[in-house]
Amino acid sequence: MIRVTRRAFLHASAALSALSVTTVLPRLARAADAIKVAAIYTVPIEQQWVSRIHKAANTAKERGDIEYVFSEKVSNTDYERVMREYCEAGHQLIVGEAFAVEDAARAVAKDYPNVAFLIGSSFKPDAALPNFATFDNYIQDASYLTGMIAGAMTKSGNIGMVGGYPIPEVNRLMNAFMAGVKEVKADAKFQVAFIGSWFDPPKAKETALAQIDAGADLLYAERFGVSDAAKEKGVLAVGNVIDTQADYPDTVVASALWHFEPTLDQAIAKVKAKSFAAEDYGALSFMKPGGCSLAPLGTFESKVPADIVAKVKAREAEIMSGAFTVTIDDNEPKSS
């Protein structure tokens, strides 16, 4: 039998206590430094746009920078109430989208001047509302590159495009994609449609099927459901905001990815530094600061022509250096 002396036991206990302190103290320090963040989403968190915000928030949470809670599928009529409840609960930073509740969101911000608001919006910040900053997914750089790939991969030159609403956030990505296509295939034609919803996969699929019936052999999947139609009919698709190639390995040839981390991380830093202000965070979604990127070609690595891959890489380098600027065109795209 092994005998443990009292002195050995005390030494072991002291060592364990020291280990516990060194393990726990950093966690306590991180917890004390973390700010309380609440996000309000009008759609499910699996929806493309919202999923990227949710991902960035969870990353910050795992680092210990924030405490994070969220509400999803909040109706427009309920949005203001939820915002106010989070403010009353002591959250220091509110993240959300105000595209259909702009007046209500700004009214809440006015009533809670000590709370920082980082809100997706089609409008700019107002100096009279210093705690209300805006952001948007300005990922036109990556969208242009996916258009170049699409221009090389379409055989008919007939491309279908299905979006949610014809608002600047959608329009600029579609227009950048179309411009990228035109660089490679100048005579390409586009079928453009909007389904009037941010999350209606069946309707998006139905609209895409109609475009395929009308001759499209490649689809721009701004909404969920489009890639399902492409897969069913054996045509290609280009993704938006997230990479769904793992779900559609023979369908999704390329995707423009949005990275919300630069936007959220800057807001968190400014809240901690007590320097949060009415700023436009839109440029943090550009490619140069890491706000967007072209997804890996993956299963299409050997299927996209090598000369096009080289052109895309060269164009990407020019975007990063500032030698080439993708035009931001917020006008509603039209079929051609």
Side-chain angles (χ1 to χ4, degrees):
M1 178 167 51
I2 298 174
R3 297 183 62 188
V4 179
T5 66
R6 182 172 180 272
R7 177 175 293 180
F9 175 77
L10 290 175
H11 277 303
S13 296
L16 285 171
S17 296
L19 179 61
S20 297
V21 169
T22 57
T23 302
V24 172
L25 280 180
R27 293 178 183 173
L28 292 176
R30 288 198 299 269
D33 192 43
I35 66 170
K36 295 180 67 176
V37 176
I40 310 167
Y41 307 126
T42 61
V43 293
I45 56 172
E46 64 261 31
Q47 189 257 12
Q48 300 106 299
W49 197 82
V50 159
S51 73
R52 304 306 282 181
I53 300 173
H54 186 62
K55 176 180 179 293
N58 277 317
T59 298
K61 177 183 176 182
E62 290 166 7
R63 288 198 310 260
D65 287 343
I66 67 173
E67 297 175 19
Y68 172 55
V69 296
F70 67 93
S71 295
E72 61 180 325
K73 296 183 281 188
V74 177
S75 67
N76 291 341
T77 55
D78 214 23
Y79 204 90
E80 181 176 350
R81 177 189 65 78
V82 176
M83 288 185 81
R84 291 184 182 279
E85 287 181 354
Y86 278 135
C87 291
E88 290 291 334
H91 290 89
Q92 298 154 275
L93 174 63
I94 307 294
V95 180
E97 76 272 33
F99 299 113
V101 289
E102 193 75 37
D103 291 341
R106 291 178 186 253
V108 173
K110 184 177 181 181
D111 290 344
Y112 293 91
N114 295 321
V115 178
F117 293 80
L118 179 65
I119 305 295
S121 172
S122 299
F123 299 92
K124 298 300 181 183
D126 183 351
L129 199 59
N131 61 328
F132 192 94
T134 60
F135 70 88
D136 208 344
N137 61 327
Y138 282 90
I139 64 170
Q140 65 281 341
D141 296 335
S143 297
Y144 187 97
L145 299 181
T146 63
M148 292 178 66
I149 294 170
M153 298 301 285
T154 178
K155 295 178 180 178
S156 67
N158 186 330
I159 296 176
M161 306 183 69
V162 180
Y165 294 93
I167 62 173
E169 291 68 28
V170 176
N171 297 345
R172 73 174 67 103
L173 307 187
M174 284 187 160
N175 284 322
F177 171 82
M178 295 164 80
V181 171
K182 289 284 191 177
E183 178 176 338
V184 175
K185 193 171 184 63
D187 61 348
K189 303 297 181 183
F190 302 93
Q191 301 179 54
V192 180
F194 298 94
I195 63 172
S197 172
W198 291 130
F199 193 75
D200 191 344
K203 188 172 184 179
K205 180 180 179 181
E206 178 185 356
T207 304
L209 287 171
Q211 293 179 338
I212 295 170
D213 288 343
D217 70 344
L218 188 145
L219 301 173
Y220 178 76
E222 199 272 328
R223 292 292 103 193
F224 274 155
V226 176
S227 294
D228 293 311
K231 179 180 179 181
E232 184 176 306
K233 294 295 186 178
V235 303
L236 299 178
V238 166
N240 177 57
V241 175
I242 63 174
D243 185 3
T244 59
Q245 194 184 79
D247 298 319
Y248 307 93
D250 300 317
T251 302
V252 176
V253 60
S255 295
L257 305 183
W258 182 33
H259 307 293
F260 191 65
E261 286 79 1
T263 300
L264 182 60
D265 290 351
Q266 178 164 302
I268 292 170
K270 293 203 170 188
V271 171
K272 288 185 175 183
K274 301 187 185 305
S275 61
F276 192 87
E279 298 178 74
D280 182 0
Y281 282 57
L284 290 174
S285 289
F286 287 19
M287 184 171 283
K288 191 169 184 178
C292 68
S293 68
L294 177 66
L297 294 179
T299 56
F300 282 86
E301 189 74 46
S302 61
K303 299 176 185 178
V304 178
D307 64 320
I308 294 299
V309 172
K311 286 182 180 179
V312 169
K313 288 182 178 178
R315 185 62 80 202
E316 181 180 14
E318 290 174 344
I319 291 172
M320 293 295 286
S321 71
F324 181 82
T325 300
V326 176
T327 300
I328 298 175
D329 182 357
D330 287 348
N331 294 307
E332 181 178 343
K334 302 293 184 180
S335 298
S336 58

